[in-house]
């Protein structure tokens, strides 16, 4: 929330706080909706957030992807509800998504909050998807989290669908990760406790 306030008036697509050994490192990656928004964000370099002044600088997309992959690899492998310190053995920062265990379920991240199931079906147009195989994750207040789970007919199909990783829906690029039916069910049951679901 502090980051959203610091960049008030700009459209933030994603904010990732970087953890080192389970502790916040003081760095974050912030993705804006357009290059122009990022230019405006750079003008806030060395302004204060609370008592600290914050440095804002441009970085490569690959640095952000690596940071996301490092987060996801230990969260995803150990269990997505786990937020402790990563296992000490993880010295390799980027994760090779081909090496991961695939099931028929993929997790989508970075979706527009207004995304619909039919837009997700269009996104995977060459795959045979139906709306009942798509679950859009929601927060307790009913707002979308920007994540969704999609179930394909087989693990092979899910692996083929990874070719859409980092493609866009609307103005946002979408990241795909291998998931599991268990993770999908947990997200679904979290959303089902909400009013109106």
């Amino acid at each position: 929330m502090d980051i959203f306030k610091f960049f008030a008036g700009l459209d933030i697509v994603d904010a990732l706080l970087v953890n080192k050994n389970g502790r916040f490192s003081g760095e974050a990656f912030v993705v804006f909706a357009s290059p122009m928004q990022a230019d405006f964000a750079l003008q806030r370099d060395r302004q204060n957030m609370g008592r600290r002044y914050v440095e804002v600088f441009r970085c490569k997309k690959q640095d952000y992807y690596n940071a996301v992959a490092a987060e996801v690899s230990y969260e995803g492998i150990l269990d997505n509800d786990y937020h402790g310190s990563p296992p000490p053995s993880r010295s390799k920062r980027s994760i090779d998504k081909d090496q991961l265990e695939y099931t028929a379920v993929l997790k989508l991240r970075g979706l527009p909050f207004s995304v619909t199931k039919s837009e997700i079906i269009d996104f995977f147009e060459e795959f045979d998807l139906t709306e009942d195989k798509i679950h859009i994750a929601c927060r307790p207040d009913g707002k979308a989290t920007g994540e969704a789970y999609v179930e394909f007919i087989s693990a092979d199909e899910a692996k083929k669908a990874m070719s859409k990783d980092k493609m866009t829906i609307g103005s946002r690029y979408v990241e795909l990760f291998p998931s599991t039916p268990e993770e999908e069910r947990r997200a679904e049951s979290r959303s089902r406790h909400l009013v109106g679901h």
Side-chain angles (χ1 to χ4, degrees), residues 83-98:
H83 286 282
S85 58
S89 61
R90 285 210 63 264
S91 56
K92 186 162 162 277
R93 267 192 66 202
S94 67
I95 182 166
D96 185 352
K97 292 181 182 174
D98 285 345

Side-chain angles (χ1 to χ4, degrees), residues 21-40:
N21 304 326
R23 287 210 176 123
F24 176 49
S25 68
E27 290 192 350
F29 289 92
V30 183
V31 182
F32 293 92
S34 69
M36 201 167 88
Q37 297 260 346
D39 291 338
F40 285 130

